[in-house]
């Protein structure tokens, strides 16, 4: 049997949206179970996200420290952001986030990993890119606000981030998946073996 996730959709007999927020909402579905019973499932509906593991020529990763109110922590993260426009090309969104959050551009882009962040309670899908051949972006820096106004920026060696993940010191989902995936690729077939930046993404279909 191939170890591969497969799309499947069980019958929904009723659905409602008890909460509609600015970017996300909460949906309640009555889902028919394999034994014929019906179970109610509440979950967050999310537009999807992109994240960027930006790796410089010395093997350092560009990371940001940002306050995250739901978990009451300042977390070290990699640049990331929402897919604000339905059908938006995820590569273009990732390039925008790298520019806005770090004022950096990259010449080489690959798909590092695609993940569902919390599939038991949210439909958020995230595409994590690997970006290399970094340089400073041209023009004025993007004006940040709210939590982003307090952001710190650093470049940290990849192996130091791996150590922090395994020590339980770093917790951001995209950072954890990104640095461990990059380390696995380096130990295996190398970055050139990764999928191209425009690889299909069934979880969030997009225009090329």
């Amino acid at each position: 049997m191939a170890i591969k996730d497969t799309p499947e959709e069980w019958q929904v007999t009723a659905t409602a949206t008890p909460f509609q927020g600015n970017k996300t909402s909460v949906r309640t579905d009555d889902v028919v179970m394999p034994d014929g019973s019906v179970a109610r499932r509440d979950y967050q509906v999310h537009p999807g996200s992109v994240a960027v593991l930006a790796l410089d020529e010395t093997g350092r990763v560009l990371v940001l420290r940002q306050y995250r109110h739901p978990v009451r922590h300042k977390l070290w993260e990699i640049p990331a952001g929402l897919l604000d426009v339905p059908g938006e090309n995820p590569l273009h969104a990732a390039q925008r986030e790298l520019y806005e959050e770090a004022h950096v551009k990259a010449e080489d882009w690959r798909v590092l990993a695609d993940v569902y962040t919390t599939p038991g309670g949210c439909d958020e899908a995230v595409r994590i890119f690997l970006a290399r051949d970094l340089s400073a972006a041209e023009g004025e820096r993007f004006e940040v606000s709210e939590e982003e106004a307090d952001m710190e920026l650093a470049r940290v060696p990849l192996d130091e981030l791996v150590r922090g993940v395994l020590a339980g010191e770093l917790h951001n989902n995209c950072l954890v998946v990104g640095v461990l995936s990059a380390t696995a690729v380096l130990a295996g077939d190398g970055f050139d073996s990764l999928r191209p930046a425009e690889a299909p993404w069934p979880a969030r279909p997009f225009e090329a």
Side-chain angles (χ1 to χ4, degrees), residues 68-89:
R68 294 300 188 182
H69 186 71
V71 294
R72 309 304 199 270
H73 269 72
K74 272 192 170 182
L75 300 179
W76 285 103
E77 307 179 352
I78 57 177
L82 297 175
L83 290 167
D84 293 312
V85 180
E88 182 177 18
N89 187 305

Side-chain angles (χ1 to χ4, degrees), residues 25-43:
S25 61
V26 173
R27 183 175 296 162
T28 297
D29 288 343
D30 290 342
V31 186
V32 179
M33 297 289 110
D35 65 358
S37 64
V38 176
R40 180 156 291 176
R41 295 290 178 259
D42 302 317
Y43 59 100

Side-chain angles (χ1 to χ4, degrees), residues 106-158:
E107 298 302 321
D108 187 280
W109 290 82
R110 313 270 175 154
V111 175
L112 189 54
D114 295 329
V115 296
Y116 291 114
T117 55
T118 48
C122 179
D123 71 352
E124 181 184 13
V126 180
R127 169 156 281 189
I128 303 173
F129 289 92
L130 172 72
R132 294 182 295 164
D133 194 4
L134 309 181
S135 61
E138 293 111 10
E140 296 293 322
R141 292 191 69 94
F142 182 78
E143 187 174 342
V144 296
S145 60
E146 300 176 343
E147 290 93 341
E148 292 183 352
D150 188 51
M151 260 186 339
E152 303 170 49
L153 179 65
R155 295 194 184 202
V156 180
L158 179 62

